[in-house]
């Protein structure tokens, strides 16, 4: 019988300062590496903050001089803030390591979550994350972003889903380094109020299902893999 880790799912109360969130991830990462924890999913909201992944270019940075936190995840710059669900799965990946497959699994978590609120999202070839097509056939809008860091076989950082957050902060940056697309929220796209709590209630259990499938060899995502920065 497979020994599949049952993750501790933590819904963080209130706003979690980004630097404190990094410390929480480091603590859980150390516990998973040492075998003291089977893993965890931290579901939270941050105060408004820009974070820059390893591939961020100077041209991506805020045009208004806002401070940016440099982090060790993959991807480029993004924004976190109230109304956006951030999920940090701190989990051990099975051998042989397949980080691209884990990215695809987390994309599928977001795709399934978007379906649960009544929309149909898509992947876009050559771009990580989850996207909503515009009714007028214009550029796709990003609703879910993914950026990971894997060290000693354990994954950290994770996914961000725009629920009912303000989109204004994205106007000061090139989100994820993609200049020819937009960003949206589930609230805007559905025409109803979609809360962080509603989305968190789907994302937490769905990540556990992704971990179950990863260890069983029956991944929740069957989409053809493509290289991503993770």
């Amino acid at each position: 019988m497979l020994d599949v880790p049952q993750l501790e799912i933590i819904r963080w109360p209130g706003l979690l300062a980004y630097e404190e969130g990094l410390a929480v991830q480091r603590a859980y990462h150390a516990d998973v590496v040492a075998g003291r924890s089977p893993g965890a999913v931290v579901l939270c909201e941050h105060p408004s903050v820009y974070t820059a992944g390893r591939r961020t270019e100077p041209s991506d940075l805020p045009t208004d001089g806002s401070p940016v936190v440099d982090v060790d995840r993959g991807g480029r710059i993004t924004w976190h803030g109230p109304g956006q669900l951030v999920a940090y799965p701190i989990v051990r990946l099975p051998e042989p390591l397949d980080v691209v497959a884990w990215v695809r699994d987390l994309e599928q978590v977001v795709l399934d979550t978007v379906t649960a609120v009544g929309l149909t999202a898509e992947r876009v070839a050559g771009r990580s994350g989850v996207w909503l097509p515009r009714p007028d056939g214009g550029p796709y809008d990003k609703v879910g972003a993914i950026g990971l860091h894997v060290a000693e076989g354990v994954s950290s950082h994770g996914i961000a889903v725009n629920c009912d957050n303000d989109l204004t902060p994205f106007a000061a940056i090139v989100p994820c380094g993609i200049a020819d697309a937009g960003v949206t929220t589930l609230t805007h796209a559905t025409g109803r109020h979609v809360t962080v709590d509603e989305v968190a209630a789907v994302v937490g259990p769905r990540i556990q299902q992704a971990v179950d499938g990863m260890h069983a060899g029956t991944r929740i995502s069957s989409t053809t893999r493509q290289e991503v920065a993770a």
Side-chain angles (χ1 to χ4, degrees):
M1 187 174 180
L2 287 170
D3 183 18
V4 178
Q6 296 303 298
L7 307 178
E8 181 183 0
I9 298 179
I10 303 147
R11 178 66 173 100
W12 200 273
L15 297 179
L16 175 62
Y18 190 76
E19 291 78 3
E20 184 181 353
L22 291 174
V24 169
Q25 289 188 75
R26 285 193 291 267
Y28 273 109
H29 186 277
D31 285 346
V32 174
V33 169
R36 295 187 297 264
S37 168
V41 180
V42 179
L43 303 165
C44 65
E45 295 173 76
H46 292 303
S48 183
V49 62
Y50 292 110
T51 72
R54 296 189 305 267
R55 295 176 58 243
T56 299
E57 300 288 343
S59 58
D60 300 337
L61 297 174
T63 56
D64 61 1
S66 294
V68 177
V69 179
D70 292 319
V71 290
D72 59 2
R73 62 165 171 79
R76 292 166 77 167
I77 195 166
T78 193
W79 172 86
H80 300 307
Q84 180 194 72
L85 174 70
V86 179
Y88 295 123
I90 300 96
V91 301
R92 178 173 293 283
L93 304 182
E95 296 287 347
L97 286 180
D98 192 337
V99 179
V100 173
W102 180 229
V103 171
R104 294 290 166 250
D105 286 345
L106 292 176
E107 283 180 347
Q108 192 65 47
V109 167
V110 180
L111 287 165
D112 293 345
T113 300
V114 173
T115 298
V117 304
L119 297 169
T120 300
E122 300 177 17
R123 291 180 173 89
V124 172
R127 294 177 171 178
S128 67
V130 172
W131 303 79
L132 288 170
R134 293 182 183 175
D136 62 4
Y140 278 54
D141 291 320
K142 197 168 195 177
V143 74
I146 299 173
L148 302 180
H149 176 70
V150 177
E152 299 182 85
V154 176
S155 177
S156 58
H157 293 281
I159 63 179
V161 183
N162 295 332
C163 301
D164 62 351
N165 51 282
D166 183 12
L167 293 175
T168 304
F170 287 107
I173 61 173
V174 181
C176 304
I178 299 172
D180 61 346
V183 289
T184 191
T185 67
L186 295 175
T187 291
H188 176 78
T190 60
R192 68 174 180 85
H193 189 202
V194 179
T195 67
V196 170
D197 283 338
E198 178 183 349
V199 174
V202 179
V203 168
R206 196 67 178 124
I207 290 175
Q208 178 67 66
Q209 292 174 358
V211 170
D212 294 347
M214 176 171 62
H215 284 269
T218 55
R219 310 196 82 109
I220 64 173
S221 173
S222 59
T223 300
T224 301
R225 298 173 190 171
Q226 52 189 297
E227 285 299 324
V228 296

